[in-house]
Amino acid sequence: MKEALYDFIGHYGYIALYILLSAGIVGVPIPDETLMAFVGSLTAPGGPFEFGTTLIVIYAGTMTGMIVSYLIGHRVGKPFLYRYGKWFKLTPDRIERAEGWFHKYGLWTVFFGYFVPGVRHFTCYLSGVSGVKFYKYMLYAGTGALLWCTTFLTLGHFIGSNLDGLFNLIHKYMGVSFIILVVVAAIGAVIYFRFRKRRAI
């Protein structure tokens, strides 16, 4: 499948990147991170793509997918997702998992969800279903998307030919790393507020 995607990019360039990133966010099974990292390797000196232009294109594609997903969730609601979501791998189990994250962490799930496999495809739908204000959604989704796109595009740009092995390693442990980061941040916040409270006394 990856070879077919790479051929598509080779033939249609930036247009292909925009379409693929848009479709991937909506739920079409496209290896988003692998794709961005691969394209990032093509932005190295002498490559067929320019880094700045590529970043703009994949960011625009990502945000298009996020907006479309939000509007679908807002217009049709959860029953539609449960009934037809399977066509886009939006299974009930995955929807419930993402919904649990969303209820626990709010819009931060949209921000960090890009980096958690199996979550980012659903947070946008759930934002629409939950009636989150569009401007708030765009703030978190837009910031998270920019960080996500920049991270993997830059990774591919600097790693180049060693990309596949490194990316497989990162993808394997990315979920664990994110959980550890959240736990460390929570512990830090608790320590900070307790220290602040004691100083106030």
Side-chain angles (χ1 to χ4, degrees), residues 67-83:
I67 292 171
V68 169
S69 299
Y70 173 90
L71 292 177
I72 291 175
H74 183 69
R75 297 286 184 180
V76 303
K78 195 185 299 182
F80 179 88
L81 298 182
Y82 275 103
R83 186 170 183 180

Side-chain angles (χ1 to χ4, degrees), residues 5-6 9 17 20-21 30-40:
L5 295 178
Y6 297 162
I9 294 171
L17 288 178
L20 290 173
L21 264 298
I30 293 173
D32 301 311
E33 293 100 339
T34 304
L35 179 65
M36 288 190 293
F38 167 73
V39 175

